């Protein structure tokens, strides 16, 4: 439970974002979590990725009390992390229909961020995610580059769960 002072500080931080650069999308009055979107953030229109980013952002704020910034991408798209909160960058990956090999490609792509956050809707992808992560750990361990894999998280019932930490 957050104190009145913590909630006041969270609201003050949320309101401090410059509207010429940021869109203030959501503030949770109970947890103090929020979402702000940089005006140059690009929500992917293909494969549900942009929708998944917005859903994940909302869940992080509502259920986890995170203060989430959707980062600028400035036309670069794939080269930049999606989010920042708690001083770390995050890349959101929607894997509803992804195979294990596709998940491994997503892990490789997420190396641009400190953390990869995997999300799926109705399908249960946890076993495939575990398998993909284990295969990549073995691969990178053999070539002494384990440090290149980001920390791996997933969303489960709206909560942020750690799967692997370097």
């Amino acid at each position: 439970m957050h104190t009145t002072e913590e909630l006041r500080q969270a609201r003050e931080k949320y309101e401090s974002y410059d509207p010429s650069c940021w869109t203030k999308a959501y503030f949770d009055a109970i947890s103090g979590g929020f979402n702000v979107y940089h005006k140059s953030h690009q929500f992917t229109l293909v494969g549900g990725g942009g929708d998944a980013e917005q859903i994940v952002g909302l869940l992080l704020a509502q259920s986890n009390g995170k203060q989430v910034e959707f980062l600028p991408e400035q036309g670069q798209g794939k080269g930049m992390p999606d989010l920042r909160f708690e001083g770390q960058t995050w890349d959101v990956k929607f894997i509803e229909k992804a195979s294990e090999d596709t998940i491994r490609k997503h892990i490789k792509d997420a190396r641009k961020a400190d953390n990869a956050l995997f999300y799926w809707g109705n399908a249960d992808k946890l076993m495939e995610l575990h398998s993909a992560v284990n295969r990549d750990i073995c691969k990178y361990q053999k070539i002494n580059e384990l440090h290149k894999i980001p920390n791996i998280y997933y969303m489960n019932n709206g909560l942020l769960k750690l799967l692997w930490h370097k």
Side-chain angles (χ1 to χ4, degrees):
M1 182 127 203
H2 293 283
T3 66
T4 304
E5 179 59 18
E6 289 171 325
L7 288 172
R8 186 195 63 73
Q9 289 174 359
R11 172 66 80 176
E12 190 174 286
K13 181 178 178 184
Y14 176 73
E15 294 298 339
S16 74
Y17 284 88
D18 180 354
S20 67
C21 298
W22 298 90
T23 300
K24 296 174 219 168
Y26 175 78
F27 182 84
D28 189 89
I30 296 171
S31 71
F34 61 74
N35 284 182
V36 291
Y37 304 152
H38 194 275
K39 299 260 181 172
S40 68
H41 184 85
Q42 299 169 335
F43 290 103
T44 307
L45 300 175
V46 181
D51 291 340
E53 285 180 19
Q54 291 179 25
I55 291 167
V56 165
L58 186 62
L59 291 171
L60 287 167
Q62 281 181 336
S63 302
N64 299 272
K66 305 298 184 192
Q67 299 175 350
V68 181
E69 298 174 339
F70 285 77
L71 298 173
E73 294 175 301
Q74 302 175 2
Q76 298 174 16
K78 288 195 170 237
M80 308 294 289
D82 297 316
L83 315 171
R84 180 179 32 243
F85 62 89
E86 297 180 348
Q88 299 223 336
T89 57
W90 299 74
D91 210 39
V92 176
K93 301 296 184 185
F94 182 60
I95 59 169
E96 176 85 20
K97 297 178 182 174
S99 68
E100 186 176 320
D101 286 338
T102 300
I103 294 170
R104 291 183 73 198
K105 288 177 187 168
H106 287 323
I107 293 169
K108 183 178 181 180
D109 180 55
R111 294 184 303 174
K112 63 191 170 215
D114 301 314
N115 306 283
L117 197 167
F118 289 89
Y119 173 75
W120 55 88
N122 297 323
D124 185 1
K125 303 300 275 188
L126 189 54
M127 288 184 62
E128 287 168 280
L129 179 59
H130 268 283
S131 182
V133 169
N134 287 337
R135 286 177 63 196
D136 271 6
I137 288 170
C138 289
K139 172 187 171 184
Y140 285 95
Q141 199 167 32
K142 284 179 186 175
I143 58 175
N144 203 26
E145 293 185 352
L146 197 54
H147 63 280
K148 290 187 176 183
I149 300 176
N151 301 318
I152 309 287
Y153 289 80
Y154 64 97
M155 297 294 293
N156 184 15
N157 295 322
L159 298 177
L160 185 63
K161 301 283 188 173
L162 175 64
L163 181 62
W164 185 79
H165 191 273
K166 56 179 153 186

